[in-house]
Amino acid sequence: EAGVTQFPSHSVIEKGQTVTLRCDPISGHDNLYWYRRVMGKEIKFLLHFVKESKQDESGMPNNRFLAERTGGTYSTLKVQPAELEDSGVYFCASSAWTGTYEQYFGPGTRLTVT
Amino acid sequence: EDKVVQSPLSLVVHEGDTVTLNCSYEVTNFRSLLWYKQEKKAPTFLFMLTSSGIEKKSGRLSSILDKKELFSILNITATQTGDSAVYLCAVEQRGGGATNKLIFGTGTLLAVQP
């Protein structure tokens, strides 16, 4: 069974540019989460989808961040315009709707804003 | 404020040693505690603990939760160089609606020397 995949693995952009990160969850997982780790800090929650519906986006830093999950499969996280403080590793995780709900993580996208 | 604290921050041991990693937490609406191992990319799931005093084991790894004292330990016996990684502790917080977000500690960096 394929795990959570993320694309790209690394992105380097200039301040003011736009970047779109993609996450493909484990097939059949309705729950999809985005997290972020900035330098030297712990991993922090950004938002949660159930299928295509946003359940909680309380961790989104500001309105420069936009997440979508059209069709309830893969998700995108767009940062527009990017700022220096957006640099970090963006993780996606997915979990099943039933059972023990443990979250499985993708390898992350390292975003560097220069 | 909700927080998860891991100790030690880093640890160097020799192959064959036994190590104990600590995780204490102060998190409202606790649902479960999870341990992950992160080598290079994706944090990989190790254990999910929901009940006090019940040890979970997987090979040389074991973990237990104390919900009264609000901590968990992860034990690794007969360490091998392949155990070298960052070990992450996360508390699953039951949120509004369907969201159960993870609150992470900063991790313990374990280095196992031959």
Side-chain angles (χ1 to χ4, degrees), chain B residues 22 38 40 62 99:
Chain B
N22 304 294
Q38 185 177 23
K40 289 183 180 174
S62 64
T99 298

Side-chain angles (χ1 to χ4, degrees), chain B:
Chain B
E1 184 183 344
D2 297 315
K3 62 180 179 180
V4 176
V5 179
Q6 292 186 245
S7 64
L9 291 180
S10 64
L11 189 57
V12 181
V13 300
H14 290 96
E15 273 191 317
D17 288 350
T18 293
V19 299
T20 298
L21 309 183
N22 304 294
C23 176
S24 64
Y25 62 92
E26 292 177 28
V27 176
T28 55
N29 300 316
F30 174 95
R31 184 178 183 274
S32 69
L33 185 144
L34 296 90
W35 285 96
Y36 290 86
K37 176 184 181 182
Q38 185 177 23
E39 294 179 80
K40 289 183 180 174
K41 295 283 189 178
T44 54
F45 172 78
L46 295 175
F47 298 112
M48 172 185 266
L49 304 157
T50 55
S51 302
S52 278
I54 299 175
E55 185 182 51
K56 292 223 173 173
K57 292 197 72 167
S58 177
R60 296 176 294 104
L61 277 66
S62 64
S63 183
I64 197 161
L65 173 67
D66 185 329
K67 290 170 73 174
K68 182 180 177 185
E69 299 298 328
L70 308 183
F71 78 90
S72 173
I73 59 172
L74 175 68
N75 279 320
I76 309 175
T77 59
T79 52
Q80 303 171 357
T81 54
D83 295 326
S84 297
V86 174
Y87 289 84
L88 297 166
C89 174
V91 171
E92 187 181 22
Q93 181 180 54
R94 197 188 312 271
T99 298
N100 295 320
K101 65 183 178 186
L102 297 181
I103 299 170
F104 280 88
T106 51
T108 292
L109 174 60
L110 174 65
V112 181
Q113 294 182 340

Side-chain angles (χ1 to χ4, degrees), chain A residues 1 9-10 16 20-21 23 26 30 44 47 52 63 66 77 81 85 89 94-95 100-102 106 109:
Chain A
E1 177 184 289
S9 58
H10 192 186
T20 299
L21 315 180
C23 167
I26 292 171
D30 288 337
K44 287 200 169 179
L47 86 158
E52 67 275 7
N63 59 10
L66 175 65
L77 179 64
E85 64 265 25
V89 181
S94 71
S95 69
T100 49
Y101 310 99
E102 59 263 26
T109 293

